[in-house]
Amino acid sequence: MELAEMGAIPRETVEAVLARWFHHRADRGFSFFPWFADGPCHRTLEAALWWGARRDTASLQRLVSQEESGARAVRNVAVAIDARPVPGFARAALALARGDTSLALSRFLALPDSLCPDAQQLREVRFRLLAATGRDHQAAAVFDGSHDRRVPLMLERARLAERLGDRPTAINYYRFVAQAWLHADPELQPYVAEARAALQRLTGEPAR
């Protein structure tokens, strides 16, 4: 979903897929959209974060209701962990959509990782909200404690390292971004240019 966030996938496409997913959760056709997470709880979290970032409170209210209803329905039923409804994701994203970053962060931090095993999106939103609220060292610890090395997050970690005055780490991650996306699509080239400019600023080396 991060490529959609960066403009590489049209917003209209994402909205259409999410609308279809909301009404047809069991549809197997979503495997044709590799940018949309696999697994029930992971998709719920991605949808919640997408709508939260766009302040789409109406969609999130519907998602909260749907997840709460689903949670009641399986309360005494054996269901795979990653298939259980997680209303907390939608509630946390709703706080984000309403502009209450502190409440959103507290809710995301309070959610046990066991609710959705290996949910990289949960670590990602914690990292970003910690950085957004000035808790830079905690944000760095969240990132460094994970194995998530997707390029968009590497760029954000580079920015954070530069802000913290950690020059070697910033250089390392900016260099990774510049190399990984050297031949990326045009929509991503501004990020490559940012990484190159940062490397020139931090190392004195001419931009390549």
Side-chain angles (χ1 to χ4, degrees), residues 101-138:
T101 305
S102 295
L103 178 59
L105 175 58
S106 67
R107 286 180 174 177
F108 278 119
L109 288 175
L111 292 167
D113 292 344
S114 58
L115 285 176
C116 192
D118 199 31
Q120 62 184 20
Q121 310 100 314
L122 187 54
R123 292 190 296 271
E124 176 184 331
V125 70
R126 287 168 175 166
F127 164 67
R128 286 176 168 155
L129 289 178
L130 284 166
T133 53
R135 296 161 69 173
D136 292 348
H137 289 285
Q138 288 176 268

Side-chain angles (χ1 to χ4, degrees), residues 24-98:
H24 306 284
R25 295 286 191 101
D27 191 337
R28 296 180 180 275
F30 296 113
S31 60
F32 293 106
F33 303 99
W35 48 267
F36 191 26
D38 192 20
C41 66
H42 299 86
R43 287 177 175 168
T44 297
L45 181 52
E46 283 211 336
L49 292 174
W50 174 268
W51 287 325
R54 280 145 196 81
R55 304 204 170 201
D56 187 349
T57 56
S59 292
L60 283 167
Q61 290 279 21
R62 289 193 292 270
L63 184 59
V64 168
S65 297
Q66 188 181 71
E67 289 291 293
E68 288 178 343
S69 176
R72 288 192 296 270
V74 301
R75 186 169 296 163
N76 299 310
V77 179
V79 179
I81 293 176
D82 68 344
R84 298 189 73 85
V86 188
F89 288 161
R91 294 192 196 106
L94 187 57
L96 188 61
R98 289 171 173 164

Side-chain angles (χ1 to χ4, degrees), residues 159-180:
R159 294 168 180 158
L160 180 61
E162 185 175 5
R163 192 159 72 235
L164 288 170
D166 185 353
R167 185 170 170 272
T169 298
I171 291 172
N172 179 53
Y173 287 133
Y174 278 130
R175 187 164 283 146
F176 179 93
V177 173
Q179 293 174 350

